[in-house]
């Protein structure tokens, strides 16, 4: 019985020591001004209630001519006629307009790049920001990192973040080709996103 009581007392002693040590470590961690990360409430950043917004605009990708908005910056010199674009990378600064007419009101730009990323289909890797220049979203951006299967009627791409009015944004963009020529593609975008 004495051995049992000694084991119980030892266990309680170790439990007390572990609890005190844990408390000291947590207290020291919270008082340390060099802490890498900590919980922050949304209200402490001035964030209010989360909203769901729908944006609608047209993307104009012009690949040649004096007003080109997309420039090939890298690619292969492949003679493979079945994969003539695979590996090509384009840097873009494409206008976003309120209507399909390129001369309609500009609401921003799509800035970034796309790369032809499939050997078997017309699929693009899209890495771009929608930088808005009009109205209440002036100065705000949305970031897209996505696969774009260009010949599908509707393509869905994730919105992975944003700035300004779109801080903490998440959602998706639906792209639908409005018209396309050898020089100019017009793509209709419907963007649905949660943000503060």
């Amino acid at each position: 019985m004495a051995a049992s009581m000694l084991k119980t007392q030892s266990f309680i002693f170790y439990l007390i020591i572990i609890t005190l040590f844990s408390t000291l470590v947590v207290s020291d961690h919270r008082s340390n001004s060099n802490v890498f990360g900590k919980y922050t409430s949304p209200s402490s950043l001035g964030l209010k209630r989360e909203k769901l917004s729908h944006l609608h605009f047209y993307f104009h990708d012009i690949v040649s001519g004096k007003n080109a908005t997309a420039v090939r910056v890298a690619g292969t010199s492949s003679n493979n006629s079945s994969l003539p674009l695979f590996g090509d990378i384009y840097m873009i600064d494409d206008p976003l307009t309120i209507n399909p007419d390129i001369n309609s009101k500009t609401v921003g730009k799509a800035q970034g790049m796309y790369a032809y990323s499939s050997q078997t289909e017309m699929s693009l890797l899209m890495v771009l920001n929608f930088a808005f220049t009009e109205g209440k979203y002036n100065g705000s951006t949305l970031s897209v990192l996505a696969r774009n299967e260009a010949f599908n009627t509707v393509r869905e791409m994730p919105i992975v973040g944003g700035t300004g009015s779109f801080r903490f944004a998440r959602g998706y963009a639906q792209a639908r080709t409005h018209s396309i020529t050898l020089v100019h593609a017009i793509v209709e975008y419907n963007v649905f996103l949660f943000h503060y």
Side-chain angles (χ1 to χ4, degrees), residues 12-33:
I12 291 172
F13 174 75
Y14 287 118
L15 188 61
I16 290 171
I17 294 298
I18 289 170
T19 303
L20 286 173
F21 181 72
S22 298
T23 304
L24 290 173
V25 168
V26 169
S27 296
D28 183 52
H29 171 74
R30 288 187 179 163
S31 66
N32 186 351
S33 63

Side-chain angles (χ1 to χ4, degrees), residues 38-48 168 196:
K38 64 180 183 175
Y39 170 79
T40 303
S41 71
S43 61
S44 71
L45 296 174
L47 301 175
K48 307 230 187 287
F168 297 104
Y196 285 93

